Amino acid sequence: MSVRAIQNQPEGDTQARIQSIHSRRKLYAKANTGAHIEFAAPGVDVWSAKGSGGKCRSGTSFASPMVTGLIARTVAKGAVSLSGARSLLKRRVIDLGPAGRDAKFGWGLVQSGGC
């Protein structure tokens, strides 16, 4: 299973489709939208290592690793399939758009659920 930036993903059940949002829970300015969006995660002004320092970067490529980490943790807790991980993530989201899944935020903003 894999998680990728939404603009680079073929349709398929083995990949989660992630939206990038900023700290005010608004869409990233260059975000794609559509029925394929599953979850939203922080992806704007994320501190990223670069050379001997770092800088803030933005995009779905920075939101996707956050969801990858959450999926890895759910797998470690026994949700061994992507559908099992999706179900766990869905139960913990903060719904940001119209009730339920929508074309901008998917199911909503993923939450870690603690350690």
Side-chain angles (χ1 to χ4, degrees), residues 33-51:
T33 60
H36 60 288
I37 304 294
E38 291 184 84
F39 299 103
V44 177
D45 293 332
V46 175
W47 184 256
S48 179
K50 182 171 170 118

Side-chain angles (χ1 to χ4, degrees), residues 4 6 17 19-20 31 35-38 41 43 46 53 64 73 76-77 81 83 86 101 114-115:
R4 293 188 192 168
I6 57 174
R17 295 152 199 72
Q19 182 63 279
S20 179
H36 60 288
I37 304 294
E38 291 184 84
V46 175
S64 295
R73 192 173 69 192
K77 289 183 175 183
S81 69
S83 70
R86 278 184 172 119
R101 188 174 181 177
C115 291

Side-chain angles (χ1 to χ4, degrees), residues 1-5 8-10 12-18 38 64-65 67-68 71 81-82 86:
M1 79 185 105
S2 63
V3 177
R4 293 188 192 168
N8 298 325
Q9 294 188 68
D13 208 30
T14 61
Q15 297 178 342
R17 295 152 199 72
I18 309 306
E38 291 184 84
S64 295
V67 178
T68 300
I71 288 174
S81 69
L82 183 55
R86 278 184 172 119

Side-chain angles (χ1 to χ4, degrees), residues 41-91:
V44 177
D45 293 332
V46 175
W47 184 256
S48 179
K50 182 171 170 118
S52 61
K55 70 180 206 172
C56 287
R57 308 279 309 255
S58 298
T60 53
S61 295
F62 300 94
S64 295
M66 303 226 182
V67 178
T68 300
L70 293 174
I71 288 174
R73 192 173 69 192
T74 63
V75 168
K77 289 183 175 183
V80 293
S81 69
L82 183 55
S83 70
R86 278 184 172 119
S87 294
L88 227 96
L89 290 175
K90 279 188 226 179
R91 289 195 299 262

